[in-house]
Amino acid sequence: MSTAELPPFPDFPSADLGRVASGAARTRPPRAPEVRHRGVLESPLGRVEVVSNGRAITGVAIETAGRLPHDGHPVSRSDLIDEAVAQIEAYFAGTRRRFELPVRPAVSDFQRSVLDALADVEWGRHTTYGALAEAIGRPAACRAVGRAIGQNPVPLLVPCHRVLSSTGSLTGYSQGDGDVTKAWLLDGEGIAFRWPPTRRRPAPVSL
């Protein structure tokens, strides 16, 4: 599998989105990514969609309830989409631990800072919301960090599944089957976590 090691995000089109102002961290619902090219791959978690604007990857999604965000768009391949699909397939096959792709989701400046910090979390390791808030210099912004992570437009490439609570407990996940999908990814990377007592834990997996 692959740890997402991504370059900085210098070109995010974030001028018209929420910004950090007056000491408060603000996020807005994610803007729909520009879809010029689209690829879909089969994975152990169901179908995974990758979209690009022709220059960089702008979105990734794991199907939820049998649907992907852009099921109405035809598959339109490109060299970048083919490379992204190949790298994600290698991640699930257990042969890649780093992603090497241009990634430019449309996010706010605050969300960009969170994704920058999150991209540094290596395969097989985890972080917490508090640690990410500290990393971006906003220690009181844990809830805003959580919202930014929940709106991550490029899961897997920027590993939001590697974020746990301060006690090591599994927290929510907006992709696939939610916490079951997150647990599957954590188990595959050998990351220990506490399973919520109200949910039945699925069998561990190895990637």
Side-chain angles (χ1 to χ4, degrees):
M1 276 179 64
S2 168
T3 276
E5 179 174 285
L6 304 178
F9 302 122
D11 300 321
F12 280 166
S14 57
D16 60 342
L17 299 179
R19 291 180 179 272
V20 177
S22 302
R26 296 188 296 153
T27 61
R28 294 184 181 179
R31 188 169 67 188
E34 179 185 350
V35 181
R36 181 169 297 178
H37 301 286
R38 175 178 183 258
V40 177
L41 62 124
E42 295 292 335
S43 83
L45 298 174
R47 293 181 302 151
V48 176
E49 173 183 270
V50 186
V51 298
S52 87
N53 60 9
R55 302 176 302 277
I57 301 301
T58 56
V60 175
I62 302 170
E63 71 175 343
T64 300
R67 294 187 59 82
L68 288 167
H70 299 95
D71 269 341
H73 290 256
V75 171
S76 176
R77 295 175 57 181
S78 68
D79 289 345
L80 176 57
I81 287 293
D82 288 348
E83 179 60 25
V85 166
Q87 290 193 24
I88 293 172
E89 287 177 335
Y91 171 87
F92 282 114
T95 59
R96 174 174 282 273
R97 296 189 175 189
R98 304 159 68 99
F99 290 109
E100 299 174 343
L101 296 163
V103 179
R104 298 289 184 272
V107 296
S108 70
D109 288 345
F110 179 77
Q111 290 168 306
R112 174 176 58 188
S113 69
V114 174
L115 296 184
D116 278 336
L118 186 54
D120 290 334
V121 182
E122 297 180 351
W123 186 95
R125 298 182 180 276
H126 76 277
T127 189
T128 65
Y129 300 97
L132 288 171
E134 291 280 355
I136 65 172
R138 303 298 299 273
C142 291
R143 290 187 179 181
V145 166
R147 288 193 296 271
I149 292 171
Q151 296 172 359
N152 176 17
V154 282
L156 299 178
L157 303 186
V158 177
C160 50
H161 63 278
R162 296 178 190 148
V163 184
L164 301 175
S165 75
S166 59
T167 62
S169 294
L170 187 76
T171 52
Y173 194 60
S174 61
Q175 297 291 316
D177 292 326
D179 52 7
V180 173
T181 296
K182 184 171 183 174
W184 196 97
L185 292 166
L186 292 169
D187 278 332
E189 295 188 18
I191 300 172
F193 62 92
R194 296 172 181 266
W195 186 258
T198 57
R199 292 293 304 272
R200 180 181 178 182
R201 178 171 179 166
V205 299
S206 296
L207 296 183

